[in-house]
Amino acid sequence: MVVALLAFAVWIGIDPRHSDDAAVGSLSTPRATSLSAVAVPAPASDTTVVQAATVTPTPIPETATPTPQPPVATTLAPTVAPILPPPTPVPPPPPPPGATNLALAAGLSQMINNERAKVSVSDVTQNAALTAAARDYAALHFISTNPFQLTHYLDGGPGDRATRNGYTGLVAEALVTGSSQAEQLMQAWLASPPHRDIILDAQYRDIGVGCYEGSYVDASGSTLHLALCVATLGQP
């Protein structure tokens, strides 16, 4: 079993987005005239006969007014919408590598009190501020760094995290990375003297435990299922 451990204790104060249109026209018949010559017979007397040429105008037919015709409608060429490629789907964001494991944290907290009882040390009491600090740091550490390279200082120290969550006093912190079995994680803490000393120290009265569990791909490409747990103990 591969396990990583780290421990720390500190005293803290309170930090402050075209249609063609048909032309309708009128057709008119041009005016035409016909000429006729009429000869008048000459009288027997020696008189001068005057021939008159009578022009009889040919009746001009009236020009019929054409009946207006409606415009000739032409079919427009259909408008063809451009064929666009389908939009490229936006991939969803990758899921987080794991999740907070409340049951694991609760199990470790109870085991710590069981171990304290074995050495006649009073139980530590669950504290909401310390629990929030431990839970948030476990998630931050697992997601942002190699969970086997444990450190207390990714976002300040243990005291800074406790203060941000409203807790002041003496604070100690124990970290462990390993399998998601509470018993194995607890044994790793007890086998490390600095961690054992923190867990069983009689001066601490409060505790908060947070665990983050998920998959981690190591340098060789192997995928490991791990849990990173933080136990924060305090004396107000």
Side-chain angles (χ1 to χ4, degrees), residues 58-224:
T58 302
I60 301 173
E62 294 183 358
T63 302
T65 302
T67 301
Q69 298 296 319
V72 177
T74 60
T75 303
L76 292 174
T79 301
V80 179
I83 299 175
L84 301 176
T88 302
V90 178
T100 296
N101 190 327
L102 299 176
L104 180 58
L108 280 174
S109 182
Q110 182 59 52
M111 288 180 180
I112 289 173
N113 275 331
N114 293 344
E115 294 297 326
R116 290 171 70 90
K118 291 178 183 179
V119 294
S120 301
V121 174
S122 61
D123 289 355
V124 282
T125 303
Q126 293 292 323
N127 180 274
L130 295 181
T131 299
R135 182 182 60 238
D136 292 348
Y137 193 64
L140 172 67
H141 203 312
F142 193 105
I143 293 172
S144 61
T145 67
N146 182 337
F148 287 109
Q149 295 178 354
L150 295 173
T151 174
H152 294 283
Y153 299 103
L154 291 178
D155 62 346
D160 299 317
R161 291 187 284 278
T163 299
R164 286 197 298 267
N165 284 277
Y167 190 92
T168 58
L170 177 63
V171 173
E173 184 178 80
L175 310 180
V176 62
T177 296
S179 73
S180 57
Q181 301 298 316
E183 295 82 1
Q184 293 183 13
L185 297 176
M186 189 69 204
Q187 289 304 313
W189 271 337
L190 293 175
S192 168
H195 296 82
R196 180 183 175 89
D197 290 346
I198 288 174
I199 289 170
L200 302 181
D201 195 326
Q203 69 178 321
Y204 296 118
R205 295 288 182 264
D206 302 319
I207 191 171
V209 179
C211 294
Y212 195 89
E213 179 182 5
S215 297
Y216 171 73
V217 180
D218 65 12
S220 68
S222 299
T223 300
L224 307 175

